[in-house]
Amino acid sequence: MNLIGISINHRTSSIEQREAVHLSLEEQQQFISLLKNKLLKEGFVLSTCNRTEIFGIPINHQIHPNLLFAELINFKNVDNLEFGNVESYDSENALRHIAHVASGIDSLIIGDSQILSQCKESFRLSVDENFSNTTTRKIFDVAVRIGKRAIKETLISQGAVTVSYAAIQVIEKIFANLDKKEALIIGAGETSELAAIHLNSRNIGKITITNRTEEKAGKLAKKVSGSTILFEEFKNHLHKFDIIISATSSKDFIVSYSDIKSVISKRKGTPIFIMDIAIPRDIDPKVKNIDNVFYNDIDSLNIIVDQNLQKRKHEIPKVQNIINEEIDGFYNWYNTLGIVPTIKSLRSFFESIEFDELNKIKNKVSDEDFVKLEEMTKRLVGRILHNPTKKLRELAENNDDLDKTNIHTSTLKYLFDLDNISENGNKE
Amino acid sequence: MIDTIHSLNIILPILYSLTLGIYLYDFIKDDSKVHNAKRIFLFITLLLHLLYLILRTIEFNHPPITNKFEIFTVLAFCLGFSYFLLELLTDIRGTGSFIILFSLIFQLISSFFIQDLIEVKEVLRNRLLGIHVVSALGGYAGFTIAAVHGLLFFLLYKEIKFNRYGLIFKRLPSLEILEKLNFYSVLIGFILLTISILIGFIWLPIAFPKISYVDPKLISVSIVWLVFGIGILTKLIAKWYGKKVILFSLIGFVIAILSLLVSNVFAQTFHSFY
């Protein structure tokens, strides 16, 4: 199969280099029209924060993956990338790489399920831009099916692999109904935002944000449908919160041991989850010694993240098996593509003979007899073509007999001169 | 019928072992294939166990409460059945292996030592006594289930507290759920024990005119009842949560086991019918 492609990803390049070749949706559209006229008949362009990939069927055999890279460099006007920053693929390797990407096993975070929807969007864009045809559409189908099966049939996308998400996993082991719990986020930076978004996605009862700059707190609160509390006052309300997440840039502790001690006595022992994701820390780590206080910092939550990543790595062979199955299926289909025109030509050729011969006797027999003859010749042609068509399809669907298929197809073409037969079965 | 009873007596420990094995396998492996099958296994085991208890009652013309080993098989059934109901109602399936283990132990001891008693004291054929004993056993089953959930609460509490994210962390439900399961089991056990005590107070003076209220069994059961009662009140009135409430149920369970041992093995009581 004449499929080629290039990939600039987290293994081959730095974040700056990946950013330099990142293509926005508009750029992807422009780049596709460039590729269509110069290098590829059909294909797709995928560009995420971690990878940019260009794959497709070249317009001729002289087109090499390096030309795709040169075209991209030229289009983006980039000078900080070399050929060493690119992985190039052709034929089955290219197909396998697309499968690896769609299944998430090639992602920076193994099993990242987001990549499948990003692939789907790229495939959709290819279709919208008339940059796809039978082969690429089939490749899209196979890649999406592999991605879906990997998620459904393996544990490749299971378990928390970020600190914020790992915190949710711990919270869910403490509390039964998150919709009845209240959370306080101290700080309104990027880390706090991620934690707040994760909590919000788990339908936490109420999220309150406190920050030295009130305006920033307000903005984040709006994002997660929460409320705010003045930074100077939050300590007076600490006992109301079941979950406290802190991520400020303060140099000293902002919540002390005695603060939490008094909180827990006001709560009559009802547990409290504290997550300190600030460096240096915001909450005195000694609070972990207080009964019913579940304290976590980045180090402790990283244990969960590492465990889950290990688990995901163990699932890779299962995903590989799915990829192998689907690629076999793809080749079964692809190999039949070559014989379809031959079968069509053969059938047209026989049908044209049938038509000619019937025409010759049309005026020599009665209408009734003609109908009978017409039926008989149709059956005759059908029976003659049945075995060669069946055998050829069987050979094509069996990957091992590829050479045999080519020999038989060529022999058929040669014997019946099928290369010179037009679509209606007549000699050209 | 007697052959069926004897066969079931051998089959039941095997079935409990198999059910426990499947529950344990699912707990360790979290294999979705046996996730639903284990409940079916438990159901079949309980169904055959119920048949065994009914057949014994019919064949020997008395409820199976006439000796320790008959009581053990009823207790094994009560534990398994209570857990089965709990699993059906809450759909929490991670704690089964810890409770079925108790069913297996009780059934195993019973199967080894149980005897076919046809001739028993007339008092043991009394229906009220049957309800009295079965509700007491139900109560103890409730306390056992509560204790198991209490222990699991402590195990999970320690895992989270010390950031150890092992099998217990992965497979058990949340602390709040374990606390609820513990509390509801205590509540059900307490209600059943109260019923048993009430029946006892009404019926025992009629059956035993020389009844003594300083009987070791009555005193020990009263202590058990009191400990669980205080535990329930602290939860409902003082709004205590978690470890402190669970501690009551664990202390209550230990006292209950000790009182059973003391009153049934070492002390003389009018409760000793056999």
Side-chain angles (χ1 to χ4, degrees):
Chain A
M1 185 183 45
N2 194 18
L3 176 70
I4 60 164
I6 56 161
S7 169
I8 297 149
N9 57 53
H10 56 91
R11 281 190 311 274
T12 64
S13 53
S14 65
I15 188 157
E16 290 81 16
Q17 289 170 322
R18 297 199 299 270
E19 272 169 3
V21 289
H22 180 262
L23 297 158
S24 66
L25 182 67
E26 206 176 302
E27 284 174 322
Q28 285 179 42
Q29 286 168 324
Q30 288 168 11
F31 193 56
I32 283 173
S33 52
L34 252 176
L35 289 171
K36 243 195 310 191
N37 298 321
K38 264 168 103 176
L39 302 170
L40 301 176
K41 281 191 273 189
E42 49 182 304
F44 73 95
V45 174
L46 168 74
S47 196
T48 72
C49 50
N50 277 326
R51 59 175 69 246
T52 294
E53 317 247 329
I54 302 151
F55 279 83
I57 311 287
I59 49 175
N60 62 51
H61 289 284
Q62 275 81 50
I63 305 288
H64 188 267
N66 286 352
L67 288 173
L68 296 175
F69 176 63
E71 196 65 36
L72 178 68
I73 296 287
N74 194 31
F75 179 75
K76 285 294 287 185
N77 203 12
V78 172
D79 54 10
N80 65 347
L81 262 147
E82 296 164 3
F83 282 110
N85 297 119
V86 181
E87 283 172 352
S88 45
Y89 299 94
D90 59 10
S91 58
E92 194 182 322
N93 286 334
L95 186 60
R96 279 194 183 275
H97 177 76
I98 296 167
H100 285 186
V101 172
S103 66
I105 59 171
D106 196 55
S107 298
L108 179 61
I109 295 168
I110 296 164
D112 173 20
S113 52
Q114 228 186 339
I115 190 70
L116 181 60
S117 49
Q118 287 164 335
C119 283
K120 280 185 197 168
E121 276 167 32
S122 296
F123 299 158
R124 205 174 298 133
L125 182 71
S126 170
V127 175
D128 291 348
E129 296 293 312
N130 286 322
F131 192 39
S132 65
N133 214 323
T134 319
T135 309
T136 37
R137 278 184 198 224
K138 185 72 181 179
I139 291 171
F140 299 164
D141 287 347
V142 169
V144 170
R145 199 163 48 239
I146 286 170
K148 281 182 182 170
R149 282 187 64 190
I151 293 168
K152 204 177 160 194
E153 295 172 26
T154 75
L155 304 173
I156 197 77
S157 298
Q158 286 204 354
V161 284
T162 62
V163 169
S164 307
Y165 200 63
I168 302 285
Q169 208 170 315
V170 179
I171 290 169
E172 283 178 335
K173 284 288 165 184
I174 301 168
F175 305 114
N177 299 314
L178 291 187
D179 54 343
K180 286 177 185 154
K181 305 295 170 197
E182 289 193 28
L184 173 71
I185 314 279
I186 309 170
E190 218 174 291
T191 326
S192 307
E193 186 178 329
L194 200 64
I197 288 168
H198 272 312
L199 281 174
N200 195 35
S201 71
R202 291 287 162 145
N203 294 325
I204 195 104
K206 195 182 168 196
I207 300 176
T208 305
I209 318 281
T210 185
N211 191 52
R212 282 203 173 89
T213 319
E214 221 188 314
E215 194 192 336
K216 278 181 89 180
K219 267 187 187 171
L220 179 55
K222 208 174 170 188
K223 244 184 199 175
V224 292
S225 318
S227 58
T228 60
I229 191 168
L230 284 176
F231 192 77
E232 293 73 29
E233 282 179 17
F234 84 85
K235 278 193 190 177
N236 301 329
H237 302 273
L238 268 182
H239 64 281
K240 292 177 191 163
F241 299 102
D242 307 286
I243 297 153
I244 298 169
I245 296 175
S246 191
T248 74
S249 49
S250 167
K251 284 177 186 165
D252 305 308
F253 292 146
I254 51 175
V255 177
S256 68
Y257 178 84
S258 59
D259 288 335
I260 299 297
K261 191 86 186 159
S262 98
V263 161
I264 214 77
S265 99
K266 278 182 193 168
R267 289 171 65 85
K268 291 182 180 171
T270 314
I272 184 166
F273 173 83
I274 296 173
M275 179 180 160
D276 189 352
I277 32 180
I279 297 172
R281 287 181 282 195
D282 287 338
I283 299 166
D284 188 347
K286 272 190 234 151
V287 301
K288 67 180 160 201
N289 299 324
I290 305 170
D291 251 7
N292 294 312
V293 173
F294 298 99
Y295 170 87
N296 282 272
D297 55 20
I298 288 181
D299 285 347
S300 63
L301 291 173
N302 265 334
I303 300 170
I304 298 182
V305 171
D306 290 343
Q307 276 181 355
N308 287 334
L309 279 175
Q310 275 308 111
K311 209 159 68 183
R312 287 185 178 199
K313 275 183 190 162
H314 285 136
E315 293 297 301
I316 291 176
K318 287 184 197 166
V319 177
Q320 297 277 21
N321 286 341
I322 293 173
I323 291 173
N324 290 341
E325 265 176 43
E326 291 293 338
I327 286 184
D328 282 351
F330 172 81
Y331 275 108
N332 286 346
W333 168 83
Y334 184 75
N335 292 335
T336 59
L337 280 184
I339 59 140
V340 169
T342 310
I343 292 172
K344 260 189 182 172
S345 305
L346 188 69
R347 193 163 281 279
S348 303
F349 175 64
F350 272 79
E351 278 167 359
S352 74
I353 296 171
E354 180 198 347
F355 181 75
D356 286 350
E357 293 305 315
L358 279 171
N359 259 353
K360 280 180 194 167
I361 57 157
K362 196 172 185 179
N363 298 323
K364 295 175 188 168
V365 292
S366 67
D367 286 351
E368 207 176 291
D369 286 342
F370 184 76
V371 172
K372 280 179 186 168
L373 275 169
E374 205 178 12
E375 281 170 5
M376 189 268 285
T377 50
K378 269 193 174 40
R379 274 202 307 274
L380 196 69
V381 168
R383 287 186 69 179
I384 290 168
L385 291 181
H386 177 74
N387 258 351
T389 312
K390 194 181 145 205
K391 294 275 180 200
L392 215 53
R393 275 193 194 279
E394 278 172 4
L395 276 175
E397 280 169 12
N398 188 352
N399 281 334
D400 302 334
D401 292 328
L402 207 60
D403 289 341
K404 226 173 168 182
T405 314
N406 287 335
I407 291 166
H408 286 301
T409 313
S410 305
T411 311
L412 264 180
K413 280 180 180 174
Y414 174 73
L415 288 176
F416 292 100
D417 200 15
L418 295 178
D419 284 333
N420 297 316
I421 302 281
S422 68
E423 270 189 23
N424 57 14
N426 295 322
K427 287 222 170 199
E428 282 177 339
Chain B
M1 191 187 284
I2 196 79
D3 288 340
T4 315
I5 291 170
H6 289 159
S7 304
L8 281 171
N9 190 42
I10 297 164
I11 290 166
L12 281 174
I14 298 167
L15 278 175
Y16 274 112
S17 305
L18 271 173
T19 309
L20 176 66
I22 294 167
Y23 268 83
L24 265 177
Y25 177 80
D26 188 50
F27 185 78
I28 294 162
K29 290 270 180 189
D30 199 19
D31 192 315
S32 56
K33 281 173 199 162
V34 297
H35 198 60
N36 293 321
K38 62 182 187 178
R39 189 181 279 178
I40 298 165
F41 256 84
L42 180 59
F43 177 72
I44 293 166
T45 306
L46 290 172
L47 206 67
L48 287 173
H49 200 157
L50 184 66
L51 177 74
Y52 170 73
L53 295 176
I54 292 169
L55 289 181
R56 281 195 81 91
T57 309
I58 297 167
E59 178 68 20
F60 306 124
N61 195 27
H62 61 76
I65 52 165
T66 61
N67 61 52
K68 287 186 198 84
F69 305 112
E70 278 192 339
I71 282 175
F72 276 7
T73 186
V74 178
L75 197 56
F77 176 79
C78 285
L79 278 168
F81 183 68
S82 309
Y83 171 74
F84 182 70
L85 283 183
L86 210 62
E87 194 186 287
L88 275 184
L89 291 172
T90 60
D91 204 35
I92 295 162
R93 308 173 189 213
T95 59
S97 40
F98 302 94
I99 292 156
I100 295 163
L101 176 71
F102 282 89
S103 286
L104 172 65
I105 292 168
F106 282 120
Q107 185 54 47
L108 207 61
I109 298 170
S110 169
S111 288
F112 264 115
F113 302 107
I114 203 162
Q115 288 168 336
D116 300 338
L117 294 176
I118 298 164
E119 293 302 321
V120 292
K121 288 180 184 172
E122 202 47 42
V123 68
L124 291 171
R125 298 193 198 274
N126 190 289
R127 276 184 195 171
L128 263 181
L129 177 74
I131 298 170
H132 168 71
V133 174
V134 169
S135 58
L137 289 176
Y140 281 106
F143 297 149
T144 310
I145 291 171
V148 170
H149 285 118
L151 276 174
L152 293 176
F153 177 96
F154 277 107
L155 285 174
L156 181 61
Y157 178 92
K158 288 212 158 177
E159 288 249 313
I160 304 174
K161 188 85 180 155
F162 299 111
N163 308 128
R164 286 195 302 256
Y165 306 112
L167 207 60
I168 294 284
F169 176 81
K170 283 171 196 153
R171 299 284 185 270
L172 288 184
S174 69
L175 286 176
E176 262 186 11
I177 289 176
L178 285 173
E179 206 250 2
K180 268 185 193 160
L181 289 175
N182 167 276
F183 183 68
Y184 290 139
S185 307
V186 164
L187 208 61
I188 292 165
F190 185 76
I191 292 167
L192 288 172
L193 189 67
T194 309
I195 293 169
S196 175
I197 290 170
L198 285 175
I199 293 171
F201 268 111
I202 297 162
W203 175 73
L204 285 177
I206 304 163
F208 302 93
K210 287 178 184 171
I211 183 174
S212 162
Y213 286 99
V214 287
D215 180 78
K217 198 157 192 172
L218 288 191
I219 294 169
S220 62
V221 167
S222 303
I223 294 169
V224 172
W225 186 83
L226 215 60
V227 171
F228 281 106
I230 293 168
I232 291 166
L233 285 179
T234 56
K235 171 88 182 166
L236 294 178
I237 296 167
K239 303 275 181 206
W240 281 15
Y241 170 86
K243 276 168 76 181
K244 284 190 278 187
V245 185
I246 285 172
L247 214 57
F248 269 103
S249 73
L250 289 177
I251 293 168
F253 177 71
V254 172
I255 296 171
I257 294 293
L258 286 176
S259 77
L260 273 178
L261 277 175
V262 170
S263 57
N264 281 320
V265 183
F266 305 113
Q268 276 302 310
T269 161
F270 72 91
H271 263 94
S272 308
F273 302 119
Y274 35 83

